[in-house]
């Protein structure tokens, strides 16, 4: 059970780029799509709404949502702001099919969805959008892909436009009083490190080190007016985030089983046992958990 804590000879998985899908979960999975529909609602609520209060919405007419999943954020924004044009891009055909149908039954004409790989050049002309939004890209981005992605965002944003990146260093988990949840979180951060996704300097570090990097990437790319806003989701028993995030984690770790067992840090059986213990721990009346994440907003100079 404790084998993942020992230093092992592990295969360097960074070499899987770019032939394999980089998303940590099967991108066409219906179960994953259902998880993301709920995750969007929970996280948007925890962030206090669709947009940060400091953005002047009267200047935002066209918005791109990168890695939009089943399109929850893009569709809700299109519904609430009929004067704005929203485009969502994602690598999953299944999720975009759902997103299009969901928008169609609401009669929305101001939202569109396109299949696109965000680790490649973005297929939009220069200065196409007033705002680029991207949330939880850590789930598919290679360490080396961030610089080009941010350059691409800058290219397709009009002068004076906004970028907002929201991400986490500890997907879904954070700090808890469940040893099993913490162990699985450590396995995940190690697998991220080995597969070339983590900015953490230590293979055994228990975070990805991404959020401290984001403002630096934006500054290097020439963005100005950079602001960081921390968020947290308290999913302890009795808190509003409890039901949503315990369910999110149960499903996520089930779907992550293959990704987590691949590099040989922990076996499928070890992960399964931890999953079973997590389900027991999260149902304990004393369960505590806080998941931190962060938004960075910046402006393309005029
Ligand atoms: C964790 S989900 C986040 C969904 C949404 N942004 C949210 O916050 O609710 C990550 C999304 O990125 C998509 N994705 C994975 N690899 C991608 C890639 N290379 N390019 C674009 N999207 C990708 C997945 O299909 C999934 O919908």
């Amino acid at each position: 059970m404790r084998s993942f804590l020992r230093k092992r000879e592990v295969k360097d998985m960074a070499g899987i780029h770019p032939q394999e899908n980089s998303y940590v979960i099967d991108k066409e999975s219906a179960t994953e799509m259902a998880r993301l529909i709920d995750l969007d609602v929970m996280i948007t609520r925890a962030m206090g709404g669709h947009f940060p209060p400091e953005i002047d919405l009267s200047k935002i007419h066209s918005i791109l949502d990168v890695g939009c999943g089943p399109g929850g954020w893009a569709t809700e924004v299109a519904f609430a702001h009929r004067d704005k044009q929203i485009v969502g891009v994602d690598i999953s055909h299944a999720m975009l099919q759902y997103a299009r149908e969901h928008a169609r039954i609401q009669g929305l004409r101001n939202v569109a969805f396109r299949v696109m790989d965000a680790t490649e050049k973005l297929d939009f002309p220069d200065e196409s959008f007033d705002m680029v939004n991207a949330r939880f890209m850590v789930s598919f981005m290679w360490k080396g892909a961030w610089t080009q992605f941010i350059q691409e965002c800058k290219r397709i944003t009009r002068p004076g436009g906004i970028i907002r990146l929201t991400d986490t260093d500890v997907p879904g988990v954070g700090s808890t009083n469940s040893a099993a949840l913490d162990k699985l979180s450590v396995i995940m951060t190690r697998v991220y490190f080995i597969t070339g996704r983590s900015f953490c300097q230590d293979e055994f570090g228990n975070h990805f080190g991404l959020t401290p990097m984001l403002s630096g990437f934006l500054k290097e790319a020439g963005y100005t007016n950079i602001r960081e806003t921390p968020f947290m989701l308290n999913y302890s028993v009795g808190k509003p985030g409890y039901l949503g995030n315990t369910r999110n984690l149960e499903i996520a770790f089930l779907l992550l089983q293959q990704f987590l067992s691949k590099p040989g840090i922990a076996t499928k059986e070890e992960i399964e046992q931890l999953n079973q213990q997590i389900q027991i721990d999260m149902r304990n009346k004393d369960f505590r958990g806080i998941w931190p994440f962060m938004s960075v907003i910046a402006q393309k100079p005029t």
Side-chain angles (χ1 to χ4, degrees):
M1 179 64 70
R2 297 185 62 82
S3 59
F4 68 89
L5 292 173
R6 290 194 303 269
K7 186 138 189 153
R8 273 193 192 178
E9 204 50 50
V10 280
K11 200 170 140 227
D12 177 10
M13 297 281 292
I16 62 177
H17 173 60
Q19 284 77 21
E20 273 186 42
N21 166 38
S22 59
Y23 193 37
V24 292
I25 291 172
D26 172 10
K27 65 187 172 62
E28 307 298 346
S29 155
T31 315
E32 172 62 350
M33 177 157 63
R35 182 184 79 87
L36 292 181
I37 291 169
D38 289 348
L39 182 78
D40 162 59
V41 175
M42 179 175 76
I43 296 300
T44 300
R45 191 178 299 149
M47 292 174 73
H50 296 119
F51 296 101
E54 64 263 43
I55 286 186
D56 180 355
L57 282 180
S58 69
K59 293 186 177 150
I60 309 276
H61 309 290
S62 52
I63 303 171
L64 174 67
D65 188 28
V66 183
C68 65
W73 187 87
T75 308
E76 289 154 27
V77 170
F79 189 89
H81 302 272
R82 304 294 172 115
D83 58 322
K84 305 190 194 311
Q85 297 295 321
I86 327 294
V87 179
V89 296
D90 200 280
I91 205 157
S92 164
H93 291 263
M95 291 195 208
L96 295 190
Q97 196 179 343
Y98 170 87
R100 288 188 195 107
E101 193 59 20
H102 189 215
R104 193 187 64 78
I105 58 172
Q106 293 180 70
L108 296 173
R109 293 172 180 276
N110 59 332
V111 62
F113 295 97
R114 285 180 59 185
V115 173
M116 209 172 285
D117 184 347
T119 64
E120 302 288 335
K121 196 172 161 21
L122 299 176
D123 187 17
F124 295 105
D126 294 357
E127 303 184 6
S128 301
F129 297 100
D130 298 310
M131 178 178 180
V132 176
N133 183 64
R135 196 169 65 186
F136 297 149
M137 292 197 34
V138 75
S139 55
F140 66 87
M141 285 292 274
W142 308 103
K143 198 175 162 184
W146 280 98
T147 310
Q148 177 188 302
F149 171 69
I150 289 173
Q151 282 292 352
E152 278 293 281
C153 290
K154 191 173 166 221
R155 178 184 65 75
I156 63 172
T157 302
R158 68 156 174 79
I162 301 277
I163 185 170
R164 176 173 66 166
L165 302 173
T166 303
D167 234 303
T168 177
D169 300 316
V170 276
V173 181
S175 309
T176 78
N177 62 350
S178 157
L181 204 42
D182 291 347
K183 278 178 192 156
L184 211 40
S185 179
V186 170
I187 292 174
M188 178 130 94
T189 50
R190 264 198 87 193
V191 175
Y192 262 66
F193 183 95
I194 290 161
T195 56
R197 303 154 192 272
S198 171
F199 290 92
C200 187
Q201 293 300 304
D202 187 90
E203 180 179 341
F204 295 91
N206 63 352
H207 61 86
F208 306 150
L210 168 64
T211 63
M213 305 300 290
L214 293 175
S215 59
F217 292 152
L218 291 167
K219 194 169 174 205
E220 263 169 43
Y223 280 96
T224 55
N225 214 357
I226 301 169
R227 287 147 291 160
E228 296 171 321
T229 308
F231 297 100
M232 66 163 205
L233 183 79
N234 190 336
Y235 63 106
S236 306
V237 168
K239 296 291 178 188
Y242 173 69
L243 275 180
N245 204 41
T246 50
R247 191 164 160 71
N248 168 40
L249 289 173
E250 274 180 22
I251 300 171
F253 280 126
L254 198 73
L255 296 174
L256 280 162
Q257 213 158 357
Q258 197 185 355
F259 171 72
L260 294 180
S261 59
K262 208 170 166 187
I265 291 167
T267 63
K268 273 204 171 120
E269 291 69 38
E270 285 171 332
I271 292 168
E272 214 167 284
Q273 275 178 37
L274 286 174
N275 262 332
Q276 282 166 14
Q277 188 58 45
I278 284 169
Q279 307 215 12
I280 295 168
D281 290 356
M282 290 195 306
R283 282 170 178 78
N284 186 310
K285 65 179 177 32
D286 295 322
F287 174 73
R288 298 281 182 276
I290 291 186
W291 172 22
F293 51 101
M294 189 174 96
S295 269
V296 189
I297 302 169
Q299 192 168 27
K300 177 170 168 175
T302 43

